[in-house]
């Protein structure tokens, strides 16, 4: 199988081990799998084409070729391995893909289609075809002489994102199901907001209108106010336009309260995992709530002077902080905006 599917299976194995199900009592007909990936099996596609071109151009493709390329085999492989026969599919909305998957998982549980949904995201695109394409769009950092410091969200010298790859899996359950089996609950998925940024197919509205709508709708769906939020895990890709637009949206929605929140970017440390990014960042939020520790935004040496200097972007080092409500922003090419809202579980 494609590397993206391998990542998804490994992270799912870890998540299910952490969930500690009693497999003899789990109703697998009530367990769904909804995964997100922005590009799917591009690695396998590139390998097959290269092999074809380097040989005598006789079409000797593997019978597994299309199964490796098709993105839906990520969810299918998980269901096959564990025998889950509930809803099964993938979502693809560029860098918001796994945020949409998590949102769909919440909806499936809320309307009674499933008791449990295995959800998350995966991506494997550190290959010539993807790097070359994003580079041609001038989306990537060109700080090749200092790669470890190339991803620098909110910094005045940021010049583009750094590609990452990997996967993250979350196990979502209805509260009744989780409580009945004595599950260890990290957080509640409490709200979802979505919007379409119609400013440009790749560039965000410079005033952050669609990002504002996405965050405001997440708060409204959760029945919360801006003042209830303690922490924002930003989309924060380290692109000149994206970081600025997102911060303008935060300023419009949260006003003076923005200075009281922790605001950081996971991508500063691991790069941009495209469709898998939101799932990884959701795991970061759950761990933040568990440990009362907000991870840093690294490489933030000189804050962009266009950004509020009194905000806490958590530069350089983690901070100890109780976080009860957090939001995760994910904004994809094509204008796909998703905000997920999590709340620390209180028994």
């Amino acid at each position: 199988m494609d590397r993206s599917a391998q990542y998804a299976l490994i992270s799912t194995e870890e998540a299910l081990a952490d969930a500690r199900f009693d497999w003899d009592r789990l109703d697998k007909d009530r367990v769904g799998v909804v995964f997100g990936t922005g590009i799917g099996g591009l690695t396998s596609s590139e390998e097959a084409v290269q092999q074809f071109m380097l040989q005598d151009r006789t079409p000797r493709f593997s019978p597994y070729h299309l199964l490796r390329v098709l993105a839906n085999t990520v969810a299918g492989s998980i269901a096959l391995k564990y025998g889950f026969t509930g809803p099964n599919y993938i979502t693809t909305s560029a860098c918001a893909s796994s945020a949409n998957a998590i949102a769909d998982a919440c909806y499936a549980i809320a309307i009674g289609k499933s008791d449990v949904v295995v959800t998350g995201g995966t991506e494997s695109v550190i290959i010539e075809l993807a790097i070359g394409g994003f580079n041609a769009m001038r989306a990537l950092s060109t700080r090749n002489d200092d790669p470890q410091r190339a991803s620098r969200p909110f910094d005045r010298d940021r010049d583009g994102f750094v590609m990452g790859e990997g996967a993250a899996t979350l196990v979502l359950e209805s509260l009744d199901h989780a409580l009945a089996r004595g599950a260890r609950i990290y957080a509640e998925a409490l709200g979802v907001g979505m919007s379409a940024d119609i400013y440009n197919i790749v560039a965000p509205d410079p005033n952050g209108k669609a990002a504002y709508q996405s965050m405001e709708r997440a708060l409204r769906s959760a029945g919360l106010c801006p003042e209830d939020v303690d922490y924002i895990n930003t989309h924060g890709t380290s692109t000149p336009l994206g970081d600025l637009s997102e911060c303008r949206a935060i300023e419009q929605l949260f006003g003076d309260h923005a200075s009281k929140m922790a605001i950081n970017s996971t991508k500063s440390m691991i790069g941009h995992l495209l469709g898998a990014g939101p799932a990884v960042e959701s795991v970061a939020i759950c761990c933040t709530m568990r440990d009362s520790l907000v991870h840093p935004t690294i490489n933030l040496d000189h804050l962009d002077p266009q950004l509020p200097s009194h905000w806490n972007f958590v530069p350089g080092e983690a901070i100890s902080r109780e976080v009860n409500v957090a939001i995760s922003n994910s904004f994809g090419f094509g204008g796909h905006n998703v905000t997920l809202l999590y709340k620390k579980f209180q028994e």
Side-chain angles (χ1 to χ4, degrees):
M1 55 182 63
D2 187 76
R3 199 163 67 209
S4 62
Q6 294 177 39
Y7 287 155
L9 280 170
I10 292 168
S11 68
T12 297
E13 182 177 1
E14 294 177 352
L16 290 173
D18 188 64
R20 301 175 184 174
F21 285 114
D22 181 342
W23 291 98
D24 293 330
R25 300 182 64 182
L26 182 65
D27 183 355
K28 295 183 179 181
D29 289 342
R30 300 284 298 168
V31 181
V33 181
V34 183
F35 241 73
T37 181
I39 298 180
L42 192 65
T43 299
S44 294
S45 183
E46 182 183 78
E47 289 173 353
V49 171
Q50 287 178 339
Q51 185 178 23
F52 173 70
M53 296 296 289
L54 289 173
Q55 293 179 351
D56 59 3
R57 296 196 176 223
T58 301
R60 298 188 185 93
F61 292 101
S62 165
Y64 295 104
H65 168 60
L66 285 179
L67 293 176
R68 291 171 181 159
V69 172
L70 291 172
N72 62 289
T73 57
V74 169
S77 297
I78 294 170
L80 283 167
K81 179 173 181 178
Y82 295 100
F84 299 146
T85 54
N88 183 277
Y89 60 96
I90 64 104
T91 58
T92 179
S93 48
C95 308
S97 295
S98 58
N100 278 118
I102 294 168
D104 277 14
C106 292
Y107 298 150
I109 293 169
I111 64 175
K113 294 290 186 183
S114 299
D115 297 322
V116 178
V117 179
V118 176
T119 187
T122 187
E123 206 78 85
S124 175
V125 287
I126 300 183
I127 54 175
E128 285 183 276
L129 191 60
I131 296 294
F134 280 109
N135 188 59
M137 294 175 68
R138 302 178 68 181
L140 298 181
S141 171
T142 57
R143 191 184 287 264
N144 299 316
D145 58 335
D146 190 12
Q148 293 195 26
R149 296 172 59 78
S151 183
R152 44 196 319 107
F154 314 120
D155 191 88
R156 73 181 183 193
D157 298 320
R158 67 189 185 280
D159 68 333
F161 73 82
V162 173
M163 192 80 79
E165 65 176 27
T169 301
L170 300 92
V171 178
L172 269 61
E173 300 178 61
S174 69
L175 183 58
D176 289 344
H177 190 274
L179 292 175
R181 71 179 189 86
R184 176 176 50 187
I185 302 173
Y186 288 94
E188 292 182 83
L190 200 63
V192 176
M194 300 181 190
S195 68
D197 193 330
I198 57 173
Y199 178 78
N200 183 279
I201 196 69
V202 293
D205 185 324
N207 294 316
K209 179 182 177 181
Y212 171 95
Q213 291 172 326
S214 184
M215 290 187 289
E216 192 276 332
R217 290 167 183 171
L219 284 168
R220 187 150 31 99
S221 75
L224 298 179
C225 302
E227 292 74 23
D228 294 319
V229 179
D230 303 305
Y231 164 44
I232 298 179
N233 189 300
T234 64
H235 186 54
T237 61
S238 186
T239 60
L241 294 178
D243 290 4
L244 185 57
S245 172
E246 183 173 9
C247 287
R248 285 173 175 164
I250 292 170
E251 189 170 34
Q252 292 169 43
L253 180 59
F254 291 92
D256 293 339
H257 182 67
S259 63
K260 301 175 184 178
M261 300 186 295
I263 301 170
N264 68 359
S265 171
T266 304
K267 295 180 181 73
S268 66
M269 296 183 288
I270 63 172
H272 189 359
L273 274 67
L274 305 183
V280 175
E281 290 153 13
S282 292
V283 170
I285 285 175
C286 292
C287 292
T288 291
M289 291 179 170
R290 180 193 63 188
D291 300 335
S292 298
L293 188 72
V294 181
H295 74 66
T297 304
I298 66 168
N299 299 329
L300 181 48
D301 300 325
H302 304 97
L303 184 67
D304 185 332
Q306 299 179 84
L307 301 179
S309 60
H310 58 289
W311 287 8
N312 185 2
F313 290 98
V314 199
E317 295 183 3
I319 59 171
S320 296
R321 177 173 182 149
E322 184 80 10
V323 173
N324 293 308
V325 177
I327 65 174
S328 172
N329 284 333
S330 302
F331 310 137
F333 282 172
H336 312 293
N337 291 352
V338 182
T339 298
L340 302 173
L341 187 148
Y342 295 95
K343 184 178 180 181
K344 188 174 184 178
F345 179 68
Q346 307 288 347
E347 294 191 54

